[in-house]
Amino acid sequence: MTGSGVLTRIEACIPALRRYAAALLRNRDDADDLVHDCLVRALDKLHTRRDDADVRAWLFAIMHNLFISQLRRAKARPAGESLDETHEAALSMRPDQENALQWRDLIRGLNALPVEQRSVILLVSVEDLSYADAATVLGVPIGTVMSRLARGRERLRQLTDEEAVRPVLRRVK
Amino acid sequence: MSDPALPIAEEDLHAWIDGQLEPGRQEAVLRYLQEQPDVARRVDAWRDQRDALRAALAAMATDPVPPRLKLDRLIQQRLEQRRLPWRAAASVLLAFGLGGVGGWFLRGGQVPPEATITLLAQQAVANHVVYTADRRRPTELGAQQRDDLARWVSNRLNHQVAPPDLSTDGYSYIGGRLAATPDGPAGLFMYDDPQGVRLTVFVLPLNAAASMPIQHVDFAHVDGCAWIDNGVGYTVVGKLPPPELRRIAELVRRQLG
């Protein structure tokens, strides 16, 4: 395995890292800061990486650890308002989509989930990580990944159902 | 979980949605969903949710990557922060296992050409030191199999090359081999003079590398001359006085260029 091969594979992961970070942090600038720190850390640790380890899972794990320590630091500060611009970022790309409304509700629901459930849903559903890789990235057993995924999906289903139902109820009133 | 007789658990349903269900369970899950329409509706909703999330977030991954997240730029910044001269920087890269000369580092022409020459020569010297020290079996194919070696190396390098003839300078060809580098295979041709002093010619294709004139590179115990022509790096290595080495490098260049 060549060093240059690893760099090419890291580079190929950057768009997915940015998407995951933005959906997790609900803010694109913060997300790019996190991805930046993740890449710097990855370059620091490149020589300690096992050659056979999956580059994508390795990068997501580095980013997750940075995210967790960021959360811990943030707890010391008073909670700021979330900018909640994920759905705008996602939807501004395709303003003409018929699905735009459905997507907006979906992303709103996703943003309302606890971060543990949100990260599992994103890693598995959007980034296509295996359950085992998601467990490694998050540093939890596979069983925990599965239960967070199940709870998160069901909660998100209920949330989006409510969103869909509410305007109808209002009209009836 | 792989036993088809086991009852269906919620995790089977999610694994089915995510395409991570063990093959043996597939049929059991489908049967279960047919028997349980309420569960099947919920599973459909989860699957629709998964598809919609992927679609909604797909555009975020096609966004152009901003300059500050470009990997080559981050690497440049690291090297600059360390304030190393390029030769030292090149050895840091090698130590990190990043010693790619042609593949990645030259893309976009970000790396100063001197660093490319240094990285190229370092690989040539490493192979020179290892193989010329071997008195009994310094080469894979000897002088008699010159054509076989030329074919083999040309195939592996995807570049036509044959051992140059240095007999006019008093060096006879003793054989060659395929050498390993972080940039893939290289060709190594070995020669000696009547006193048994060995000299090697090293050939390494470097995709995008810009051409560089012949340069002298000195290492602890040997000297080299390295250059790049038409995307291929060449190095002549030996314990020779620099002017003599340079003359041989020019001879090689005329034959291989």
Side-chain angles (χ1 to χ4, degrees):
Chain A
M1 156 124 16
T2 73
S4 44
V6 172
L7 293 175
T8 308
R9 277 181 290 150
I10 292 178
E11 201 177 36
C13 292
I14 294 176
L17 290 170
R18 293 184 70 215
R19 169 172 60 190
Y20 174 64
L24 202 61
L25 296 171
R26 298 172 293 190
N27 174 297
R28 295 222 89 174
D29 288 339
D30 289 353
D32 280 351
D33 284 347
L34 183 63
V35 173
H36 177 268
D37 292 353
C38 168
L39 294 173
V40 168
R41 180 68 59 91
L43 290 173
D44 277 340
K45 291 173 62 164
L46 203 52
H47 61 294
T48 65
R49 205 187 73 86
R50 285 197 344 266
D51 267 357
D52 56 340
D54 180 64
V55 169
R56 217 159 53 105
W58 178 68
L59 287 171
F60 275 105
I62 292 175
M63 200 160 78
H64 178 76
N65 289 335
L66 288 169
F67 171 65
I68 292 300
S69 38
Q70 203 174 317
L71 278 187
R72 288 210 188 97
R73 277 199 306 276
K75 268 189 189 154
R77 293 197 305 261
E81 217 170 316
S82 153
L83 288 180
D84 215 4
E85 59 182 27
T86 321
H87 61 279
E88 286 149 36
L91 301 173
S92 63
M93 309 287 296
R94 306 208 185 142
D96 54 330
Q97 275 286 349
E98 298 175 16
N99 301 324
L101 278 180
Q102 184 213 341
W103 288 354
R104 198 198 55 206
D105 291 346
L106 185 64
I107 301 292
R108 258 188 209 156
L110 180 75
N111 287 347
L113 296 181
V115 69
E116 296 80 19
Q117 293 173 12
R118 201 158 74 231
S119 59
V120 170
I121 288 182
L122 288 167
L123 288 176
V124 170
S125 296
V126 181
E127 306 304 339
D128 274 334
L129 261 65
S130 68
Y131 297 150
D133 278 347
T136 310
V137 166
L138 301 171
V140 298
I142 287 198
T144 308
V145 167
M146 297 302 304
S147 60
R148 285 180 187 175
L149 181 67
R151 266 181 289 148
R153 276 186 175 154
E154 180 55 15
R155 180 79 192 117
L156 184 53
R157 185 182 70 83
Q158 291 164 1
L159 285 172
T160 42
D161 273 0
E162 284 166 22
E163 292 271 0
V165 167
R166 200 180 302 135
V168 179
L169 291 180
R170 227 176 269 139
R171 218 177 298 144
V172 169
K173 241 198 264 178
Chain B
M1 191 158 132
S2 57
D3 183 353
L6 281 178
I8 301 297
E10 192 169 47
E11 59 192 47
D12 290 315
L13 302 176
H14 287 283
W16 183 66
I17 291 170
D18 293 316
Q20 298 193 38
L21 190 67
E22 287 166 46
R25 297 289 278 168
Q26 197 89 19
E27 229 174 282
V29 167
L30 289 175
R31 208 170 37 240
Y32 176 80
L33 289 176
Q34 260 171 3
E35 290 160 3
Q36 308 280 340
D38 285 350
V39 180
R41 266 194 294 280
R42 213 162 61 225
V43 168
D44 276 347
W46 291 336
R47 202 178 38 197
D48 289 349
Q49 176 196 103
R50 178 180 188 273
D51 294 344
L53 267 181
R54 293 170 77 89
L57 296 177
M60 291 176 82
T62 55
D63 235 4
V65 174
R68 72 183 180 114
L69 297 183
K70 296 270 195 210
L71 212 49
D72 45 7
R73 189 162 140 165
L74 290 170
I75 291 169
Q76 284 281 97
Q77 283 168 353
R78 277 171 73 78
L79 293 173
E80 281 158 18
Q81 277 163 10
R82 295 180 178 221
R83 285 195 205 87
L84 293 173
W86 263 108
R87 161 132 347 158
S91 28
V92 168
L93 293 181
L94 281 178
F96 270 60
L98 298 178
V101 183
W104 205 84
F105 272 92
L106 285 183
R107 222 177 41 189
Q110 299 266 354
V111 171
E114 309 81 62
T116 309
I117 287 284
T118 307
L119 286 163
L120 166 68
Q122 252 165 342
Q123 290 165 26
V125 167
N127 279 290
H128 174 96
V129 170
V130 168
Y131 293 120
T132 57
D134 204 319
R135 282 292 136 189
R136 294 191 55 187
R137 211 155 181 254
T139 63
E140 198 79 44
L141 294 177
Q144 277 77 42
Q145 294 156 288
R146 188 187 191 115
D147 292 345
D148 288 340
L149 181 87
R151 237 189 332 270
W152 177 34
V153 171
S154 301
N155 275 337
R156 291 302 307 276
L157 267 53
N158 209 8
H159 168 76
Q160 281 303 318
V161 64
D165 180 3
L166 307 181
S167 54
T168 53
D169 270 51
Y171 282 88
S172 34
Y173 176 66
I174 56 176
R177 70 185 314 128
L178 203 64
T181 83
D183 286 291
L188 186 74
F189 309 127
M190 203 179 295
Y191 303 80
D192 64 0
D193 72 358
Q195 284 77 46
V197 176
R198 286 177 171 175
L199 176 135
T200 54
V201 174
F202 183 82
V203 182
L204 174 63
L206 302 169
N207 313 330
S211 292
M212 288 284 288
I214 296 178
Q215 323 225 335
H216 187 258
V217 250
D218 60 307
F219 287 84
H221 302 295
V222 284
D223 282 76
C225 275
W227 67 98
I228 300 170
D229 270 337
N230 300 318
V232 180
Y234 302 89
T235 313
V236 176
V237 185
K239 280 182 196 163
L240 273 71
E244 201 179 324
L245 202 59
R246 170 138 201 141
R247 203 177 59 243
I248 294 170
E250 277 160 6
L251 181 63
V252 172
R253 190 180 182 194
R254 278 197 298 278
Q255 291 185 35
L256 296 188

